[in-house]
Amino acid sequence: MSKKKKNRNGRTPRVIKWLTRLVVLGVIVTAGGWLAMQQVDRAGWRFFNTGRDVVHGLAAMADALAARDFAALEDAYSERYAGSQLGLADHRLAGERDGVHVYRFQAGAPVTGRGAAVAEWRQYLDGLESIDEVRMFVHRLHEWKDEPVATVRYELIGTPTGAARPAIDRAYFRMRFERTSEGSGGERTGEGMRLLEAALTTEPPDANHEYGGDRLASDTPHFVDVAGEAGVGFENRWYPAFLDENRDEPLKFGMLRYGPAGVTAADYDNDGFYDLFIPDGVESKLFRNQGDGTFADVTAEAGLAGLDGVAVGLFADYDNDGYKDFFVSRTFRPNQLFHNDGGGADGRVTFTDVTAAAGIGEDCCTTVASWADYDGDGDLDLYVGRYLDPRLAIPTTFYARNGEPNQLYRNDGDGTFTNVTAEAGVGEVGLCLGTVFGDYDDDGDADLYVVNDFGRKTLYRNEGDGTFRDVTVESGTLAYGAGMSASFGDYDNDGKLDVYVAHIRSEGGWFAETPTVFRYMANTWRQGVWRTDMPLYMEILRQSGTDFVQVFQDMASGNTLLRNRGDGTFEDVTWAARANPPGWFWGSGFYDFDNDGWQDIYAANGWVYNEPGTEIELEFLNNVVSEMQTYKSGAFFDPDNFGTDSWHGWERNRHLRNEGDGTFKEIGTPAGSDLITNSRGIAVADFWNRGALDMAVAASTDRHVLLRNDVGVARNWLQVEVVGSGTPEGTNRDGVGARVTIHTPRGLQVREVVLGDGYGSQNALRLHFGLGELAAVDELIVRWPRTGREQLFTDVAANRIVEVVERRDELVEKRYERPAPAGP
């Protein structure tokens, strides 16, 4: 009866009708969504294939130039070619400094026909006695549907005819291509694209990109590698636990093996000469500076033998007894803290393991660390930065927040430490590769900047009550990218601490455009990974709004320079300052190498050094977008997947000279500092007390380098050692956090004592000021971090090492005699 009633009232047919409509609507929506995703996928693939074909065509063109194969070069041009003279054969002197000559390329008249274009290349190459390398890369792909248009980065290193040393030529071209087929099939043949039009760029394609071109040349290098004669040029070795043959099963994140290689400069024995600790996968080494240009291996006699799996080692006087103690990471083993027992009757310094008594945690997978007196109680506290555990996890996506939590250990002043991470609010869970303390807001306490791989950075403002507040978004310091290190420094001499962050500037950065981002998002849904990744996308949305394309571009855009505005916020001036050279960067920092009063930047570069002339990066990036389930399995991070291909391999370190006008000029090749050593950590110190900053550069599976500075000695300088009183009312003995300001007729300079920055490294605690031609400093002011008390000294003569002791208003000149060699 109930059934008949429903039929009479017409309810069942109506329900069926609505259900039918909903099903049809669902089918239409599903089909429409599927078709839309198919269209997005096709557009994304066409964009990628076009860019890849341009990349391969440029690579073939670069090979032809390196080989001076003009027939092959002519094949790279269309028969319809019409462009402009690139200006490479017409370079005019624009300036000279410290023997580095800068020649500007001059854009020329219109050129018709590929024969004329090749003739210009021939004229240019005829002026080179030899060619070391030629590279051409897609910087930006502007048009890609019909006749692709790209901004192309060009770089050649070779020796000009009659020159003593190689020069470097760099330029940006705007190029248009014609399609000769639907694609090159992925092979590096150059088929598929021919050059239709080209010109030297005279202005940037937008406000944030480079343009123009120049040659940099010098007959005499500024730096000379003396590692061999100094006795520290040994080869870094992989941590055995990273290698598959030493494990029951491969690491899930196997590519981590390519990372570790920090380096530490510290005067561990208080003799006034900076020594070296060099971490290693098999056995780390402590080298005592003999003061005569050589270093002695004192690892065993110091009680530090057998330290394997080390990523970072830092020397810090945590108990204020005047001797620098030692913290060291051990990767899959517990981290350790060693107490410096001081020099014995024979002058030798030994260390005792006090880890258990001190209460320092095991903290697997520690990559970096920093010391600072965060709570203002007069002793040094320890912050430990950690990556993910490669045995268990991989980065979840291009934006990862699945790292092992960082840890903060408060020094209790009695030889013990307490883990205060939670109450202080600094348990960052990114994949940490860099930490640095610095008083960015000038309020007298130590703020903390944390650098993460695969994602964002975090700026913690010290609230002065034992806690920190995350001010990253409001301060403008997110700095998306594959972060490797960071340093505080005043690059523009305005008295405020700026920030430099090392990232990857991907040669596949052109791939980060709307078609790719849409394809990535579509595949997130199609391949069922949205459940795990959506919370990460929502975090990005809260931080940066809806412009995901810009986030993707930031991730691949390279190193970041953040200028401190002085109001608690930072301005990203990276492109305007020309501060992000191409490469895969690790250690970096601010250093006045030429003693001109302006801090330069040095950045270590390199990743996987397999077969030269090969590159896996573009394939990897496309796989990340296309094969998300495979990505989640970790297969793309398996070194066996690389085969014999390199990945940002055989790249040169970059040396950015501060031009004093807010910009930098990359001078690594003429300066002799453009190492190809798969570099990682950097430790800078005046190793021979000559008044010039030298540089130790650690390498991954290559020989370490010690660069002697021969340019800084031509100008005046001043170095300042600060010593805290170490009393309950005073500053830590190492003076960490103390700020020194000098005033001269040329303006002011600011330095702050930092212990642990860069990538797994430690620089000299002695503060260095370049003075140029000045013979004296008008005022030298030391501000102590705990009390805010200042000490003022006037008319300080140059070319000296001076010491300032807290509460002692006298300036003491330090003269360090050459020490006697330790041991037999």
Side-chain angles (χ1 to χ4, degrees), residues 21 58 219 230 237 261-262 283 298 330 410 431 483 650 806:
R21 289 176 179 174
L58 291 172
D219 289 335
R237 292 171 291 176
E283 185 172 11
V298 296
R330 298 295 302 279
R410 185 189 65 213
L431 279 53
W650 308 99
E806 188 176 20

Side-chain angles (χ1 to χ4, degrees), residues 44-114:
W45 272 106
R46 183 168 175 81
F47 174 76
F48 169 72
N49 287 330
T50 298
R52 182 190 59 182
D53 288 341
V54 173
V55 166
H56 291 164
L58 291 172
M61 188 173 177
D63 288 346
L65 289 169
R68 303 179 194 253
D69 185 344
F70 297 107
L73 184 60
E74 187 168 345
D75 285 343
Y77 283 81
S78 167
E79 294 179 353
R80 301 186 295 126
Y81 178 80
S84 300
Q85 289 180 340
L86 301 179
L88 299 174
D90 182 11
H91 46 268
R92 302 174 190 177
L93 183 65
E96 180 275 333
R97 182 168 149 197
D98 295 327
V100 176
H101 293 79
V102 180
Y103 301 89
R104 295 261 189 266
F105 297 138
Q106 308 297 314
V111 171
T112 301
R114 58 186 182 182

Side-chain angles (χ1 to χ4, degrees), residues 318 320 371-382 408-413 416-418 420 423-424 437 444-447 462-468 728 730-732 736 785-787:
Y318 75 84
N320 285 331
W371 292 87
D373 181 10
Y374 87 94
D375 54 357
D377 64 354
D379 50 33
L380 290 175
D381 312 295
L382 175 65
L408 176 62
Y409 293 96
R410 185 189 65 213
N411 190 334
D412 295 328
T416 67
F417 292 78
T418 299
V420 294
E423 63 193 72
F437 284 97
D445 51 31
D447 308 299
N462 193 326
E463 299 292 90
D465 59 1
T467 68
F468 291 80
T731 301
N732 63 87
V736 175
R786 186 178 184 191
T787 63

Side-chain angles (χ1 to χ4, degrees), residues 798-813:
N799 301 325
R800 297 189 300 160
I801 302 171
V802 297
E803 180 187 75
V804 179
V805 178
E806 188 176 20
R807 294 196 180 94
R808 207 179 290 171
D809 291 328
E810 60 178 331
L811 206 61
V812 177
E813 182 173 355

Side-chain angles (χ1 to χ4, degrees), residues 704-732:
H704 305 301
V705 172
L706 182 60
L707 293 176
R708 186 190 68 219
N709 184 341
D710 288 343
V711 67
V713 293
R715 295 190 177 94
N716 294 331
W717 53 276
L718 181 70
Q719 293 178 0
V720 183
E721 296 178 349
V722 294
V723 182
S725 65
T727 64
E729 298 78 28
T731 301
N732 63 87

Side-chain angles (χ1 to χ4, degrees), residues 311-327:
V312 61
L314 300 180
F315 290 87
D317 185 4
Y318 75 84
D319 56 357
N320 285 331
D321 65 353
Y323 299 99
K324 289 178 174 54
D325 312 298
F326 185 52
F327 168 81

Side-chain angles (χ1 to χ4, degrees), residues 654-727:
R654 301 289 179 163
H655 178 171
L656 306 181
R657 183 181 69 191
N658 194 325
E659 300 292 88
D661 60 359
T663 68
F664 294 84
K665 172 68 71 175
E666 204 284 298
I667 64 166
T669 297
S673 52
D674 63 334
L675 308 173
I676 308 181
T677 58
N678 208 6
S679 303
R680 297 291 185 268
I682 302 167
V684 173
D686 180 2
F687 287 107
W688 296 285
N689 295 336
R690 303 171 303 135
L693 292 178
D694 311 297
M695 184 164 36
V697 183
S700 174
T701 63
D702 206 336
R703 293 193 174 276
H704 305 301
V705 172
L706 182 60
L707 293 176
R708 186 190 68 219
N709 184 341
D710 288 343
V711 67
V713 293
R715 295 190 177 94
N716 294 331
W717 53 276
L718 181 70
Q719 293 178 0
V720 183
E721 296 178 349
V722 294
V723 182
S725 65
T727 64

